[in-house]
Structures are given as structure tokens and as C-alpha cells.
Amino acid sequence: EIVMTQSPATLSVSPGERATLSCRASQSVSTHVAWYQQRRGQAPRLLIYGASTRATGIPARFSGSGSGTEFTLTISSLQSEDFAIYYCQQYLNRLTFGGGSRVEI
Amino acid sequence: QFVESGGGLVQPGGSLRLSCAASGFTFTGYWMSWVRQAPGKGLEWVANVKEDGSEKFYVDSVKGRFTISRDNAKNSLYLQMNSLRVEDTAVYYCASTILGGQGTLVTVSS
């Protein structure tokens, strides 16, 4: 099983600041990585797939990078609606998810 | 892309059958999975099925109790859940390579 490890578990930032979230795979997954945002009481919302491609309708302040085992989600300037939990996921071999990173004020 | 249905409240030991209607992509070209999220917890892969239904895999905690299946003619995915336990309480999502639906809530409680 490919294990996805996210850090930090919690990130405290202010609106307008930059947020950088990390995700590490236990073995290479090439660029078969997606990122999701989950607000309280809602389903996960796809942000990024293929490690760096924004999903339809996702603002440009969200960007993804990385390949192999190291991946990053960057939110360039946090808006109030961006305070949520973020999950990474690999889809090279079955589907496995990171434990999530909470972005809070 | 996915519309999940079939969830509800069931007693421990009971059964439910979840359904997922897929659209917007070539259903027959993908392995399909069920993923669940228990209240306040993260996302957990539950089961998957090969494009033609010939291979199926399950997380250890549901082996022997859950059965995944698909109907390619209907672009639909199913999860038959038997011998349900309190710890199966979760929102269940279907997925190809990515999640794309609102999920269906399964609550197992007496």
C-alpha cells in the first residue's frame, strides 16, 4: 500500500498570507496525485489533479507541484473561504489519502 | 460526475446496497472504487473493481461483508454491505481516479 503523509497537520495563517502544504508518498507515484479541499459539512472538492493541473473553476491562487514522492499545494493569498482541511491522494495504485492538513486562522 | 444513493439508518447486523451513477467520462475505461469518511475522520479507500468486473479488492475491515460490483451498460457502481457494524458509519463516495460526488451517509446504530 502506498502511504501518503501530509504536513503540517495544522497551519495557522492570516488572510492574504501564503500557505504551503506538503505531501510525501512512501514510493514514487509519478504525478498521479490529486488535492482536495473540504469545508465543514461538505464533500471534498477537487482542486488539483495530475499533481499540477487545476480542476475546472478553481482559482489561480491554488497551485500544485511535485513528482515522484514529494508534492506541494500552495495557496498564494488566503481568502476567508480557504480556511478548510486539505487532503492529498495518489491514484497510481488503488486510492490512498493523506491524513489531511487543517488551514486555520 | 457521480451521484451516490442508497444510504440510511440501519441496525448493527443489517444490510444496505449503495448505488453510484457515473457520467461525463468513459466508465468502461476505469477501475472504480468506493471510499468512505467516518464522522470527523479522514478518507479511506474501501474497495475497487476492474474495468470488466473480473477483479475486486477490499480493505481488510470489510472483507467477507461487502461486495463491490458494476454494470457497465448502466454506467453504475454498487456496494452491497452486509453484517454492518457501528464502525461502518460514514459517508460513502464512489470514485474513478478521483472523487466527484456528494456521497451517501450510512449510519449504523441501534
Side-chain angles (χ1 to χ4, degrees), chain A residues 34 36 38 42-44 46 48-49 87 89-91 94-99, chain B residues 33 35 37 41-45 48 57-58 93 95-99 101-102:
Chain A
Y36 300 87
Q38 188 172 36
Q42 297 185 13
L46 178 67
I48 300 286
Y49 63 93
Y87 293 97
Q89 175 221 322
Q90 67 81 22
Y91 50 91
R94 300 183 185 174
L95 307 179
T96 52
F97 298 84
Chain B
S33 293
V35 171
Q37 186 173 34
K41 302 297 184 181
L43 295 155
E44 177 188 38
W45 170 83
N48 66 355
F57 297 94
Y58 301 89
Y93 301 96
S96 54
T97 51
I98 56 174
L99 303 176
Q102 293 301 305

Side-chain angles (χ1 to χ4, degrees), chain B residues 32-68:
Chain B
M32 291 296 297
S33 293
W34 286 98
V35 171
R36 67 184 177 184
Q37 186 173 34
K41 302 297 184 181
L43 295 155
E44 177 188 38
W45 170 83
V46 173
N48 66 355
V49 57
K50 196 176 180 179
E51 294 94 335
D52 62 0
S54 62
E55 294 183 41
K56 304 175 182 181
F57 297 94
Y58 301 89
V59 68
D60 285 348
S61 60
V62 309
K63 283 180 182 175
R65 300 189 298 122
F66 290 11
T67 302
I68 189 172

